[in-house]
């Protein structure tokens, strides 16, 4: 595909994500028009909904095929047409306690699976519930895109360095910040370089995913804030000994599901679900972070060898698969508190995180 075609695909995806956030319809290839249940307004209605496999299970629907995960799409039909007000409790598991009775519904064969999977992923990127009215009775013209556009939009090779500047921080006065961005993607990632870069020392590197609640508000439900502070302190200590460190701060809130859906997951956790179960119940991936993007950031910085601060082997594998040599895994674990103990146990027992 030419650079011009790739640029057009990236533009179409960006327009589709923007449409979903505004509540406008989209159409993927020759498939039916899809209207996002959460953000749309007006009098649109349909007796067909596209929902996640996890949500379909909760609604007691038998999928027509084995779903690989709860993020997979299911086409369902209601006995009567649902307007947006009636469709929202069907889409949002957080509303189940006040809307317990739903249906009857029936799962139907899905002839446009690839496009439906694309729609689910677009909803995740937009940070909305993965649920759509299918071919709603609405006169709005849809934003058009192709099923394969998403692959071109997500290509790490699109990422570029936008700018850089000196940034003294509390942990280390000798620091530089480097900003990265990609066409069509509003998320701008940054890297903090602590200390003076030297070819003799392999840098201490940490991949840190954005966490508004933990990094800024000091949430006790996770360990993100303490992990961020400890990583910066460790890198400052490296700098004091003639070494250096790189913290990649990646805009991938809530393991990639966005702040709104992360808070919905928090509500489900209060009902007894663990962090992975809550994501799944929302119909979202348990893990949607883009670790190869971190490898691209390091490549653009000319960093090919790292000492990686992590307990997550997925990060090690992703970097090495992308050509970054992880010469050492540096354990990075902090004490639990009464509010995050189950969260940390889940990361260890179900997400494969290693003990320090």
């Amino acid at each position: 595909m030419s650079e011009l075609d790739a640029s057009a695909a990236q533009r179409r995806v960006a327009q589709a994500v923007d449409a979903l956030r505004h509540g406008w319809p989209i159409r993927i290839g020759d498939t039916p028009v899809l209207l996002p249940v959460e953000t749309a307004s007006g009098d649109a209605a349909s007796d067909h909904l596209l929902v996640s496999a996890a949500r379909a299970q909760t609604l007691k629907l038998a999928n027509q095929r084995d779903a690989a995960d709860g993020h997979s799409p299911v086409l369902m039909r209601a006995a009567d047409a649902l307007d947006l007000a009636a469709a929202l409790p069907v889409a949002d598991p957080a509303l189940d306690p006040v809307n317990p009775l739903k249906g009857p519904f029936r799962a139907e064969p899905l002839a446009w699976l690839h496009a439906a999977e694309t729609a689910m992923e677009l909803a995740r990127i937009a940070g909305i519930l993965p649920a759509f009215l299918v071919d709603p009775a609405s006169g709005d013209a849809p934003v058009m895109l192709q099923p394969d556009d998403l692959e071109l939009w997500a290509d790490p090779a699109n990422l570029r360095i936008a700018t850089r500047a000196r940034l003294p921080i509390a942990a280390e006065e000798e620091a530089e910040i480097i900003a990265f961005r990609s066409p069509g993607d509003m998320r701008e990632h940054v890297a903090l370089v602590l200390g003076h870069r030297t070819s003799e020392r392999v840098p201490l590197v940490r991949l840190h995913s954005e966490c508004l609640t933990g990094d800024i508000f000091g949430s006790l439900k996770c360990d993100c804030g303490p992990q961020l502070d400890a990583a910066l302190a460790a890198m400052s200590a490296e700098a004091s000994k003639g070494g250096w460190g790189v913290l990649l701060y990646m805009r991938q809130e809530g393991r990639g599901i966005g702040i709104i859906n992360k808070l919905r997951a928090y509500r489900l956790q209060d009902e007894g679900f663990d962090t992975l179960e809550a994501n799944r119940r929302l119909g979202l991936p348990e893990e949607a972070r883009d670790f190869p993007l971190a490898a691209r950031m390091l490549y653009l910085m000319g960093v090919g060898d790292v000492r990686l601060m992590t307990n997550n082997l997925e990060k090690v594998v992703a970097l090495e698969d992308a050509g970054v040599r992880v010469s050492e895994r540096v354990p990075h674990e902090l004490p639990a508190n009464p509010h995050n103990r189950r969260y940390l146990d889940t990361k260890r027992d179900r997400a494969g995180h290693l003990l320090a």
Side-chain angles (χ1 to χ4, degrees), residues 245-295:
V246 179
L247 185 130
L248 304 181
Y249 196 86
M250 307 184 69
R251 304 290 302 281
Q252 301 186 133
E253 180 82 49
R255 293 177 175 267
I257 67 173
I259 183 63
I260 302 297
N261 282 326
K262 183 175 90 166
L263 298 183
R264 287 191 175 107
Y266 278 1
R267 289 185 61 179
L268 293 173
Q269 289 170 33
D270 289 341
E271 295 175 18
F273 299 98
D274 69 33
T275 182
L276 301 184
E277 291 168 341
N279 279 24
R280 182 179 177 87
R281 196 169 180 86
L282 286 166
L284 295 163
E286 296 175 354
E287 174 61 88
R289 288 175 291 181
D290 186 353
F291 297 138
L293 196 64

Side-chain angles (χ1 to χ4, degrees), residues 26-337:
I26 64 171
R27 187 176 185 186
I28 304 169
D30 296 327
T31 60
V33 172
L34 300 175
L35 185 70
V37 168
E38 178 186 348
T39 54
S41 59
D43 56 2
S46 175
D47 59 356
H48 280 84
L49 276 76
L50 186 71
V51 298
S52 68
R55 190 57 179 152
Q57 283 183 334
T58 305
L59 297 170
K60 304 296 188 290
L61 290 172
N63 197 4
Q64 300 300 313
R65 60 184 184 83
D66 292 333
D69 54 59
H71 191 47
S72 302
V74 172
L75 180 64
M76 54 170 277
R77 181 172 184 173
D80 300 300
L82 300 175
D83 62 15
L84 290 165
L88 186 59
V90 176
D92 188 353
L95 300 179
D96 284 349
V98 292
N99 295 275
L101 299 177
K102 305 179 185 72
F105 303 121
R106 182 180 67 196
E108 295 195 342
L110 183 54
W112 35 281
L113 177 60
H114 184 29
E117 291 172 337
T118 300
M120 293 285 111
E121 186 63 5
L122 288 169
R124 181 195 67 79
I125 294 167
I128 66 172
L129 291 168
F132 299 87
L133 292 184
V134 179
D135 260 347
S138 171
D140 294 335
V143 171
M144 305 291 295
L145 71 160
Q146 298 301 317
D148 294 334
D149 287 348
L150 196 54
E151 297 176 17
L152 296 167
W153 179 88
D155 188 347
N158 297 327
L159 196 70
R160 297 287 187 271
I161 291 177
T163 192
R164 58 207 307 160
R166 180 175 174 271
L167 183 69
I169 62 174
E172 176 58 50
E173 291 187 7
E174 293 298 328
E176 180 188 32
I177 187 167
I178 304 171
F180 303 79
R181 68 181 171 197
S182 179
D185 187 354
M186 293 301 294
R187 299 171 301 170
E188 293 163 338
H189 312 282
V190 299
L192 274 175
V193 180
L194 279 66
H196 294 289
R197 179 169 181 167
T198 170
S199 59
E200 289 76 30
R201 301 285 288 269
V202 176
L204 186 62
V205 172
R206 169 73 182 164
L207 278 59
H208 188 89
S209 296
E210 175 185 35
C211 178
L212 173 69
T213 49
D215 298 342
I216 305 301
F217 299 135
S219 168
L220 298 177
K221 289 180 69 70
C222 63
D223 59 346
C224 300
Q227 281 194 332
L228 175 60
D229 293 340
L232 292 174
M235 291 173 188
S236 179
E238 284 286 311
S240 69
K241 296 182 292 186
W244 59 300
V246 179
L247 185 130
L248 304 181
Y249 196 86
M250 307 184 69
R251 304 290 302 281
Q252 301 186 133
E253 180 82 49
R255 293 177 175 267
I257 67 173
I259 183 63
I260 302 297
N261 282 326
K262 183 175 90 166
L263 298 183
R264 287 191 175 107
Y266 278 1
R267 289 185 61 179
L268 293 173
Q269 289 170 33
D270 289 341
E271 295 175 18
F273 299 98
D274 69 33
T275 182
L276 301 184
E277 291 168 341
N279 279 24
R280 182 179 177 87
R281 196 169 180 86
L282 286 166
L284 295 163
E286 296 175 354
E287 174 61 88
R289 288 175 291 181
D290 186 353
F291 297 138
L293 196 64
R296 173 65 177 173
M297 294 169 72
L298 292 169
Y299 170 79
L300 292 172
M301 296 169 61
V303 177
D305 198 348
V306 303
R307 297 166 54 228
L308 188 64
M309 296 186 72
T310 188
N311 300 323
N312 185 351
L313 280 180
E314 285 189 28
K315 293 182 179 180
V316 176
V317 172
L319 289 189
E320 292 194 327
D321 284 350
V324 177
R325 178 174 177 265
V326 180
S327 59
E328 180 186 1
R329 184 189 71 84
V330 180
H332 192 48
E333 186 173 20
L334 295 155
N337 68 62

